[in-house]
Amino acid sequence: MLLGGMLVACNNKQITNNNMEQKLELTQEWDKVFPLSEKVNHKKVTFKTQYGLTLAADLYTPKDSKGKMAAIAVSGPFGAVKEQCSGLYAMKMAERGFVALAFDPSYTGESSGEPRRTASPDINTEDFMAAVDYLSQLENVDAEKIGIIGICGWGGIALNAAAADTRIKATVASTMYDMTR
């Protein structure tokens, strides 16, 4: 199962046009290492960061949801992709009534950025903030109720984002080590 998520990270296709904008070719079939819950809807989405990178994400929403809901953005562990742990966390949060977004960080998985498999605390902190931007624009999200979850190495990145962005109302760092320090 882990191999499936790693293959997605290695087979990312990006097309760059003359304006240096990258259009991502996202995998459309279910490519996660876990089964899709019958309690949620799923769709692939993309959004931009302030650095001009395009992030690929999976958006999970509770089935039969009504009105504006709290939302959560999820990423990590370090080096992983949304088809693995962060996607499972997001799906479980959607089962509990949240709009949940699992995203691949810049330079990772289906998201844009060269060279591949690069990490930057500043850029990756912006990744979380761009996810909050995206979620706050959704009509079914209460922009005053957005949180983030950083798993493993991304726990420190989540703490950085929460310290920098007052729109983030709740933060979970499920980690043993703050690699941003």
Side-chain angles (χ1 to χ4, degrees), residues 3 29 32 72 80 111 122 126-127 133:
L3 180 59
E29 67 273 358
K32 316 304 178 244
I72 195 126
S111 290
D122 292 336
E126 164 57 20
D127 291 345
D133 291 342

Side-chain angles (χ1 to χ4, degrees), residues 37-153:
S37 169
E38 295 177 4
K39 299 177 184 178
V40 303
N41 294 316
H42 165 266
K43 74 175 184 175
K44 294 262 194 166
V45 299
T46 61
F47 54 94
K48 294 260 188 210
T49 72
Q50 73 172 353
Y51 297 108
L53 297 164
T54 303
L55 301 188
D58 289 312
L59 183 67
Y60 297 89
T61 55
K63 283 193 176 169
D64 302 321
S65 58
K66 294 180 178 95
K68 292 193 177 269
M69 296 173 280
I72 195 126
V74 186
S75 198
F78 182 76
V81 291
K82 65 190 176 313
E83 289 76 19
Q84 300 168 324
C85 185
S86 62
L88 180 59
Y89 273 56
M91 187 179 70
K92 293 296 183 182
M93 295 306 290
E95 286 179 344
R96 288 160 177 76
F98 291 85
V99 172
L101 183 74
F103 65 91
D104 284 337
S106 297
Y107 310 104
T108 305
E110 290 185 300
S111 290
S112 70
E114 295 288 335
R116 304 303 294 160
R117 296 170 295 282
T118 298
S120 163
D122 292 336
I123 289 173
N124 296 144
T125 297
E126 164 57 20
D127 291 345
F128 262 124
M129 294 164 66
V132 171
D133 291 342
Y134 175 80
L135 288 169
S136 68
Q137 300 301 311
L138 297 178
E139 64 182 42
N140 61 341
V141 169
D142 181 342
E144 297 298 317
K145 295 181 179 177
I146 297 176
I148 59 176
I149 298 175
I151 305 163
C152 195

Side-chain angles (χ1 to χ4, degrees), residues 152-168:
C152 195
W154 271 72
I157 302 293
L159 294 174
N160 274 355
D165 191 336
T166 59
R167 299 172 302 163
I168 298 170

